[in-house]
Amino acid sequence: MHMASRNPTKETTLPEEDPASEKTKLDAVSHAAEAEDVDEVKPPAKPVRLGEKLVALGLISDDQLQIVLTEQKSSKKLFGAILVEMGFITESALGEVLAESSGAQKFDPKSTMLDSTVVRRIPKELAARHKIIPVAYENDVLQLAMADVYNVLAIDQVRRHVPRSTKIVPVYCTESEILELIDQYYDYEISVDGILREIETGIRDNTNKLDGRQEGYVNPTVRLVNALLVDAIKSGASDIHFEPEGTFLRLRYRVDGQMLQIRSFHRDYWSAMAVRIKIMSGMNIAETRNPQDGRISYNVQGREVDFRVATQPTVHGENIVMRLLDKAKSLVPLENLGFSNHNIDVLKKLLKRPEGIIIVTGPTGSGKTTTLYSVLSYINNIDTNIMTLEDPVEYQLPLIRQSYVREGTGMDFLNGIKSLMRQDPDIIFVGEVRDEDTALMAVRAALTGHQVFTTLHTNDALGAIPRLGDIGVPAHLLAGSLIGCLAQRLARKLCKHCKKPRTAEAEECKILGVDPAKGATVYESVGCPKCKNKGYKGRTAIVEIMRVDKGLDELISTHATRRVMTEYLLANGFVTMQQDGIDKVLAGEITLSELINTIDLTDRL
């Protein structure tokens, strides 16, 4: 039986496909249609070769096409998947080309709510194997979302689960989106409770299989750890905490910046679970008295998710924290970061400066790395040489040469910047400015015609100037090299499906800077199934961007006071984090209480 690959498309599904294989597929569908005496919707007509079409559209080069074809011969992966993995094209852009080439409609799951009764017309096993899912069923026409719209054998198998008179219309959807829909609309295959019951009783429940495997026995501890990792990814967690106590193990997730207790396990489970996590992350399982670090790569819903793992010995045993690095969700376009239109415009103006330093400030967990990666992706192109020095490299980006700082070697930030300068870079990203030598080297890089990005721990954008002065950067050098500073915090977004409007009270109007006589509308959290009854879903950035122009350069070089510089900035269109947050409150994106907990509003209270 033909098995659809889990990758979005393949070069061989287009004209370069073997003619005999294509004929076999078409004969199978034709035979099925004749046997059931219905007017079957034929698969889309063959388009021109996908690779040639992408080259003609200017989406990839001839060199990139040859690289992918060479890689396809050795890896046996499908053509479209290799294009996406190598970063030559985005999955969404590939989907648009495929939809146009095949004549199939493009299905957008983000703007559609599916009917679970329609989805479950076909078994989950069939949907997962062929990467398909029914999305609509009306007037005897079934729309079938498919990662490979030429997979006519999948259409043939779906026919067995619908009435004879039904017409099946393929629509294109990316593989990762289909896998997410399958997970959302079918029951989970792995039950944590079922695995725990199996461990306790020794009786295996045949319905619980790892990754859908129907044969072979997998150790329940292995399945338990895998099930917890998958559940954390599905829950949108950024960190998983395994915390041993006196008689039990506490499991907590950090979701949208908040710690949530998920469940507790008996202490007896922990030793086997800890060993399994250590094996997966490449740690020494015999070492329990010293901290260790490791890394895990895990494939979930058609995408790679990395986990940074750290152990810490405690009085009750080893505490393990796992940081989730989900590249697909963390690398977002600049326009989707939650910045206001004003801040987006200011940031794009900063990026047009050919040389200088751009600093992103904020505490740990405020989204600095996500913002910088989005900026680097925005300016990344084949004509630019971007070099990075990070501690550690969290996400690997195409076309960007990324290096990481190694402890105990000569590759620290200072020597790393010196080395990068010999690599003919246009843009340099330094993970963090920690000392005088690193700061001065970054300034020298900016003064010699490079654009430099880095991070700093300060409370606001203006605070970067005295902080760099404290580190040891002279004011006259800073005035000539600093382009701008961006400060940000992350606040939980209200669930748009259940947020509730109300009139702001007089005290709230004072905080918001609104006339109480005119009043203002604010929103509060409620909770619904869409947000798992939390009232919040996702986070947004509260940002201020300080653009350094000639006037501010003069103030920096003459050691002007903070008050003078603040007055100058406000007079020239600077929007503070306070005001950006207040605008988001009035727009119904966040609650006032969330804003108060996120940034300093004590001067307004």
Side-chain angles (χ1 to χ4, degrees):
M1 178 183 297
H2 173 75
M3 298 286 286
S5 169
R6 65 179 188 82
N7 292 302
T9 185
K10 55 184 179 181
E11 186 76 348
T12 52
T13 59
L14 299 161
E16 48 267 59
E17 187 172 29
D18 178 50
S21 171
E22 180 69 12
K23 183 177 184 302
T24 302
K25 284 184 179 182
L26 294 174
D27 287 347
V29 174
S30 175
H31 176 73
E34 290 174 4
E36 301 190 26
D37 194 26
V38 295
D39 293 330
E40 177 59 270
V41 173
K42 293 181 180 180
K46 276 189 186 179
V48 297
R49 293 188 178 207
L50 175 61
E52 294 176 356
K53 186 173 183 65
L54 293 174
V55 171
L57 291 172
L59 295 175
I60 63 173
S61 66
D62 287 321
D63 290 342
Q64 291 172 328
L65 173 60
Q66 294 306 315
I67 291 170
V68 174
L69 291 175
T70 303
E71 176 67 17
Q72 187 181 24
K73 291 176 184 177
S74 59
S75 69
K76 306 301 182 185
K77 292 182 180 179
L78 299 184
F79 183 79
I82 298 173
L83 277 171
V84 174
E85 287 176 6
M86 288 188 167
F88 293 161
I89 192 172
T90 63
E91 191 175 33
S92 59
L94 178 64
E96 295 291 342
V97 175
L98 281 169
E100 181 197 356
S101 300
S102 65
Q105 182 182 351
K106 177 79 165 58
F107 175 69
D108 182 11
K110 295 178 181 178
S111 61
T112 309
M113 179 60 64
L114 304 187
D115 184 348
S116 60
T117 58
V118 172
V119 171
R120 294 182 183 178
R121 281 184 170 273
I122 67 172
K124 181 179 182 180
E125 185 273 334
L126 175 62
R129 185 169 75 248
H130 289 293
K131 308 300 181 292
I132 58 178
I133 190 167
V135 296
Y137 186 52
E138 190 175 8
N139 298 327
D140 280 342
V141 175
L142 177 71
Q143 286 192 350
L144 186 67
M146 309 178 70
D148 178 5
V149 293
Y150 300 98
N151 187 355
V152 293
L153 290 181
I155 297 174
D156 184 32
Q157 293 199 16
V158 169
R159 168 148 301 287
R160 302 175 185 178
H161 301 278
V162 296
R164 292 167 56 89
S165 59
T166 301
K167 292 184 178 181
I168 300 174
V169 178
V171 294
Y172 176 78
C173 187
T174 66
E175 177 193 346
S176 59
E177 290 172 336
I178 287 179
L179 290 171
E180 287 185 9
L181 289 173
I182 289 173
D183 179 68
Q184 180 180 352
Y185 287 96
Y186 291 94
D187 294 330
Y188 291 167
E189 283 185 302
I190 300 175
S191 163
V192 173
D193 292 324
I195 298 171
L196 292 174
R197 187 165 55 250
E198 176 185 335
I199 295 174
E200 293 171 357
T201 63
I203 301 173
R204 181 150 54 106
D205 181 357
N206 290 327
T207 62
N208 291 326
K209 299 294 181 184
L210 177 64
D211 299 330
R213 289 165 61 175
Q214 301 300 316
E215 295 179 1
Y217 177 73
V218 179
N219 185 289
T221 301
V222 173
R223 282 185 280 131
L224 177 60
V225 172
N226 284 1
L228 293 174
L229 299 188
V230 172
D231 181 66
I233 295 169
K234 292 170 181 172
S235 301
S238 61
D239 299 86
I240 312 172
H241 292 248
F242 295 92
E243 303 168 339
E245 298 287 349
T247 58
F248 65 94
L249 171 73
R250 178 185 290 114
L251 174 66
R252 294 198 290 175
Y253 296 164
R254 186 179 293 278
V255 181
D256 293 336
Q258 302 292 311
M259 290 289 284
L260 304 175
Q261 178 157 334
I262 304 303
R263 64 191 306 142
S264 297
F265 300 93
H266 193 278
R267 184 178 174 82
D268 291 346
Y269 296 120
W270 181 225
S271 58
M273 292 171 64
V275 168
R276 173 58 185 165
I277 293 172
K278 286 183 175 182
I279 291 173
M280 293 174 71
S281 53
M283 296 183 188
N284 181 359
I285 62 174
E287 179 59 75
T288 60
R289 292 179 292 182
N290 290 310
Q292 295 188 71
D293 294 309
R295 198 168 185 127
I296 300 171
S297 287
Y298 200 78
N299 192 292
V300 178
Q301 296 175 346
R303 65 181 189 271
E304 286 290 332
V305 179
D306 287 340
F307 297 82
R308 276 213 320 262
V309 187
T311 69
Q312 176 69 32
T314 69
V315 293
H316 296 298
E318 286 185 286
N319 194 86
I320 294 183
V321 176
M322 308 176 74
R323 166 66 60 88
L324 276 71
L325 304 172
D326 189 344
K327 180 177 177 179
K329 291 189 175 180
S330 298
L331 298 182
V332 296
L334 202 61
E335 288 75 12
N336 295 349
L337 288 173
F339 288 16
S340 66
N341 291 333
H342 168 80
N343 283 330
I344 285 285
D345 291 341
V346 173
L347 181 57
K348 288 182 177 180
K349 285 180 182 177
L350 296 184
L351 297 177
K352 292 183 184 300
R353 291 275 295 271
E355 68 277 322
I357 301 177
I358 295 177
I359 300 174
V360 179
T361 74
T364 302
S366 61
K368 298 189 298 296
T369 302
T370 298
T371 296
L372 279 168
Y373 276 6
S374 296
V375 169
L376 291 178
S377 297
Y378 173 75
I379 60 179
N380 188 19
N381 61 67
I382 197 69
D383 303 321
T384 305
N385 182 21
I386 302 178
M387 309 287 294
T388 78
L389 187 65
E390 305 170 59
D391 182 20
V393 175
E394 294 194 359
Y395 305 107
Q396 297 180 18
L397 304 175
L399 267 183
I400 296 178
R401 268 62 61 201
Q402 296 171 271
S403 306
Y404 57 90
V405 175
R406 300 176 180 89
E407 292 185 3
T409 69
M411 190 65 164
D412 56 15
F413 277 114
L414 174 60
N415 292 321
I417 297 175
K418 290 180 180 178
S419 177
L420 293 187
M421 292 288 287
R422 294 191 286 269
Q423 295 290 314
D424 185 31
D426 297 306
I427 296 171
I428 297 174
F429 167 37
V430 182
E432 184 181 351
V433 172
R434 298 177 177 174
D435 52 46
E436 180 179 358
D437 291 335
T438 305
L440 288 174
M441 184 57 66
V443 169
R444 288 194 187 102
L447 292 174
T448 53
H450 301 88
Q451 201 174 55
V452 181
F453 294 87
T454 190
T455 67
L456 200 64
H457 289 284
T458 63
N459 292 329
D460 55 19
L462 189 56
I465 294 172
R467 174 73 179 124
L468 289 171
D470 292 340
I471 290 176
V473 180
H476 66 278
L477 288 181
L478 187 60
S481 59
L482 189 62
I483 295 176
C485 299
L486 183 153
Q488 71 177 61
R489 301 290 190 277
L490 293 178
R492 291 182 297 168
K493 289 173 64 177
L494 280 164
C495 174
K496 61 183 180 181
H497 299 284
C498 64
K499 63 182 180 181
K500 181 181 177 182
R502 63 174 177 82
T503 302
E505 299 175 358
E507 184 64 24
E508 292 173 329
C509 288
K510 176 186 174 184
I511 297 173
L512 295 171
V514 177
D515 185 356
K518 295 181 179 179
T521 300
V522 295
Y523 293 78
E524 57 187 22
S525 60
V526 178
C528 68
K530 293 279 188 184
C531 59
K532 298 183 179 178
N533 295 313
K534 296 175 187 173
Y536 300 92
K537 191 168 185 180
R539 289 191 287 179
T540 188
I542 300 175
V543 181
E544 65 181 21
I545 303 179
M546 180 185 74
R547 181 167 171 256
V548 181
D549 56 15
K550 292 181 180 179
L552 191 57
D553 269 341
E554 182 69 22
L555 294 177
I556 294 172
S557 61
T558 56
H559 301 278
T561 64
R562 181 185 178 93
R563 181 179 61 81
V564 172
M565 285 192 282
T566 300
E567 290 174 353
Y568 175 83
L569 288 170
L570 292 174
N572 286 272
F574 177 64
V575 177
T576 65
M577 263 193 295
Q578 281 191 357
Q579 189 58 51
D580 189 50
I582 289 171
D583 292 341
K584 284 181 165 61
V585 171
L586 295 174
E589 294 183 39
I590 61 175
T591 64
L592 181 57
S593 60
E594 182 72 12
L595 177 63
I596 293 172
N597 292 332
T598 303
I599 65 173
D600 183 12
L601 289 175
T602 51
D603 59 331
R604 292 173 175 256
L605 297 177

